[in-house]
Amino acid sequence: MATRLHTPYDGSSRLFEIGLKPLDPGQWIEVDEHLSAHLAEKDRLEAVHSQKVFAAEPGTEAAQAEVLALLVEHLPRRFPDIYRRDGETIEIIPAKRHISLTGAEPLRIASHLVQEDLILMRRGEPGWRLAAGALCFPSSWRLRDKFGLPIHEIHRPVPGFGAGTRPAELIARMFDKLRPDMPVLRWNWSLYGDDQLFHPESADPKRPRFGPGAHAESVFLRVERQTLRKLPMSSDILFTIRILVDPVTALEHHSDAARIRAALVAQLEALNSAQLDYKGLTLERDRLIARLSAIGASR
């Protein structure tokens, strides 16, 4: 099985930038050594928070089925040692799971095949809206709050990305121009006080979140690998979100620790007050910079 390819994060993608890049379709979905644990966590969240982790508009069933069909075709071909098709079942070999491919909510089924969360965007009169979603690992947002909203409203809390802004208009145009043979990739990262995958609540910018002491001790890098793919039959867009979490201490053993630390510190120093509030770092930036600055300093 593939191991983590992207963490600890290298700090190359900047916060509050769109940063879309072309994606090789063969690299659409990723698998690492946490596949079994992440699928088990999805099961747990479904049992405890079923109404919070899945939502779908009536009329999206065909598009959901299209997503499932794409994954069922892609996964055994891309990862033959991990996924095996057996009639109307997919076997996930290392997880010792057999997932039935039949059911009323194909997107929910699809989400239990992969570590990614799956969001379906549909074009309508007000623009691209969130029409269906299987979201078990949110980063400070709740599916029920965003469900049915157009993309400019989804991004309204993000500084500089609300309705009428240049980034909002760019995103809408990019969605319109996306082609089925042209998937794209972007990255996002945040700093959290724990390694929990289910993080629906936004951080309080006025409360410490990295431990009680003078130094920020409990710090985790949370990376989002996001892909966008136009579906050839429905023309909806599938947005995938893959979460990777590492303690900041992992950077201490990285061969390029000094450069990564410098990149993260530079981005934190450049955040304005609205951006700091949005990321929940208003009270924490100085502690974080002090903690990060100690990493790799002696190399």
Side-chain angles (χ1 to χ4, degrees):
M1 185 182 298
T3 57
R4 288 178 182 262
L5 302 175
H6 312 292
T7 55
Y9 192 46
D10 66 3
S12 58
S13 293
R14 300 185 63 82
L15 297 174
F16 302 102
E17 291 186 0
I18 298 171
L20 292 176
K21 300 176 182 178
L23 174 67
D24 177 352
Q27 304 304 313
W28 173 38
I29 299 296
E30 290 191 343
V31 175
D32 70 11
E33 70 273 21
H34 298 284
L35 174 65
S36 297
H38 286 188
L39 294 181
E41 178 64 359
K42 284 190 175 187
D43 286 348
R44 186 190 72 82
L45 291 167
E46 282 273 10
V48 177
H49 302 293
S50 178
Q51 300 304 310
K52 297 181 180 180
V53 301
F54 183 83
E57 291 181 358
T60 60
E61 293 81 6
Q64 293 182 50
E66 188 177 3
V67 172
L68 180 58
L70 285 171
L71 284 170
V72 167
E73 188 278 330
H74 174 81
L75 294 172
R77 175 170 48 82
R78 175 68 178 84
F79 305 104
D81 296 333
I82 299 173
Y83 296 93
R84 181 184 298 131
R85 176 78 182 266
D86 182 14
E88 293 304 308
T89 299
I90 284 278
E91 180 184 4
I92 307 175
I93 299 166
K96 298 181 174 59
R97 289 170 173 259
H98 293 80
I99 305 296
S100 172
L101 301 176
T102 59
E105 297 170 330
L107 193 68
R108 192 193 294 267
I109 296 169
S111 75
H112 286 276
L113 297 175
V114 294
Q115 291 167 260
E116 284 83 353
D117 282 328
L118 307 174
I119 303 295
L120 200 62
M121 305 296 294
R122 174 162 288 185
R123 190 74 161 87
E125 185 61 32
W128 291 91
R129 70 183 185 278
L130 199 167
L135 181 76
C136 287
F137 306 146
S139 298
S140 300
W141 65 287
R142 293 186 293 266
L143 182 60
R144 66 173 181 265
D145 292 343
K146 308 293 186 181
F147 181 62
L149 294 182
I151 195 164
H152 58 270
E153 285 297 320
I154 290 173
H155 287 142
R156 183 176 56 81
V158 183
F161 278 74
T165 63
R166 184 172 181 273
E169 293 172 356
L170 283 174
I171 292 171
R173 287 202 295 269
M174 289 174 183
F175 273 45
D176 287 340
K177 293 179 179 179
L178 200 61
R179 302 196 312 263
D181 62 343
M182 189 184 67
V184 294
L185 169 73
R186 77 176 297 268
W187 298 92
N188 196 16
W189 64 271
S190 300
L191 294 164
Y192 279 70
D194 59 54
D195 61 353
Q196 298 300 306
L197 293 169
F198 183 65
H199 255 294
E201 303 299 330
S202 297
D204 185 342
K206 296 180 175 57
R207 294 185 60 186
R209 59 190 297 200
F210 299 112
H215 302 287
E217 296 296 339
S218 182
V219 182
F220 291 81
L221 284 164
R222 184 181 178 97
V223 176
E224 297 176 52
R225 180 185 185 268
Q226 305 173 355
T227 77
L228 291 163
R229 179 171 182 169
K230 186 79 164 284
L231 301 178
M233 295 177 64
S234 64
S235 294
D236 291 344
I237 290 176
L238 178 66
F239 177 42
T240 75
I241 312 167
R242 169 88 158 84
I243 300 296
L244 305 102
V245 182
D246 276 296
V248 75
T249 52
L251 288 176
E252 295 172 352
H253 309 291
H254 197 285
S255 60
D256 202 16
R259 185 195 61 78
I260 296 170
R261 176 256 300 167
L264 295 174
V265 168
Q267 289 202 49
L268 288 171
E269 289 177 335
L271 296 179
N272 62 37
S273 59
Q275 293 168 338
L276 285 169
D277 274 357
Y278 177 73
K279 285 292 186 178
L281 300 177
T282 299
L283 293 182
E284 297 282 37
R285 175 164 59 180
D286 291 345
R287 287 208 306 157
L288 279 173
I289 289 174
R291 179 71 181 88
L292 289 167
S293 295
I295 295 172
S298 62
R299 290 180 181 268

